[in-house]
Amino acid sequence: MSRAEADDASCIERSRRDPEVFAEVFRKHAPDITRYVTRRLGDDAADDVVAETFLTAFRQRDGYDLSHRSARPWLYGIATNLMRRHVRTEVRQLRLVQRTGVDSVTASFSERSDERLSAEASGRRLAGALAALPKGHRDALLLVAWGGLSYLEVSEALNIRLGTVQSRINRARGKLRKELGGINPLATISEEPLCE
């Protein structure tokens, strides 16, 4: 755990007396939460979900378990719960990537090249396969792949047992591997953008 993560619980504790201190938690985690939510829902819904995530966290900070030094899983859990209201939006976003090959998070940060055309094609298949996964499986897999959380952090974020996380990710990977013709989907999702 980095020194920055170790400070989250202290910031939240201090923010109970001095609400402005909570801005430190926002500054540290908002960019990652924004990327994660944007990737799942697209630009239009992301701003609202991210704002609501931090508003919810701020309102619930008195109940935050200070033994958890990093607020990261807690914030991803709040964001994931809020995104459940946007399931149709997420599936539409994944279907859009499947049709167009354009991932809203990576499109503006990368250049198109001939070598990446095959990655684009698999990205489209991947987006379609992700859209077809059950919501709980997709949540667990994408928290690891796009959110960068460990299985234990996913367990904490979704408030489910570690074994359930492992099972959901294993099943999701199996379904995606089958859809992608044997390619390891977790490596594809986390190391490569959906498409460029």
Side-chain angles (χ1 to χ4, degrees), residues 6-158:
D7 290 341
D8 288 346
S10 299
C11 288
I12 292 169
E13 183 177 33
R14 286 189 330 235
S15 77
R16 293 172 180 171
R17 295 179 306 278
D18 183 7
E20 289 80 24
V21 173
F22 195 80
E24 293 177 37
V25 174
F26 176 83
R27 277 192 296 276
K28 182 164 55 171
H29 295 288
D32 291 335
I33 299 290
T34 300
R35 275 190 296 280
Y36 175 71
V37 174
T38 299
R39 193 143 204 200
R40 291 195 64 180
L41 300 180
D43 290 328
D44 294 339
D47 289 340
D48 291 339
V49 171
V50 171
E52 194 171 347
T53 296
F54 284 94
L55 180 61
T56 300
F58 180 78
R59 288 179 177 158
Q60 294 177 359
R61 72 190 189 282
D62 286 340
Y64 181 77
D65 181 351
L66 297 174
S67 69
H68 297 280
R69 303 310 298 170
S70 173
R72 188 170 176 246
W74 179 59
L75 294 168
Y76 274 99
I78 292 170
T80 299
N81 286 332
L82 293 171
M83 283 189 291
R84 288 196 175 114
R85 296 183 200 161
H86 299 274
V87 171
R88 288 187 190 134
T89 303
E90 178 182 30
V91 171
R92 266 194 316 266
Q93 175 71 14
L94 289 168
R95 296 286 184 213
L96 178 67
V97 171
Q98 180 183 22
R99 278 192 320 275
T100 66
V102 177
D103 181 344
S104 62
V105 171
T106 61
S108 62
F109 299 109
S110 59
E111 293 180 40
R112 207 175 226 354
S113 67
D114 290 338
E115 298 85 35
R116 296 307 228 160
L117 290 178
S118 63
E120 179 178 316
S122 67
R124 288 179 181 185
R125 285 192 347 231
L126 176 61
L130 285 170
L133 286 176
K135 182 79 173 117
H137 292 78
R138 188 170 54 240
D139 286 343
L141 181 71
L142 295 180
L143 281 167
V144 169
W146 289 349
L149 273 64
S150 68
Y151 283 24
L152 189 58
E153 289 173 320
V154 172
S155 171
E156 185 181 328
L158 298 178

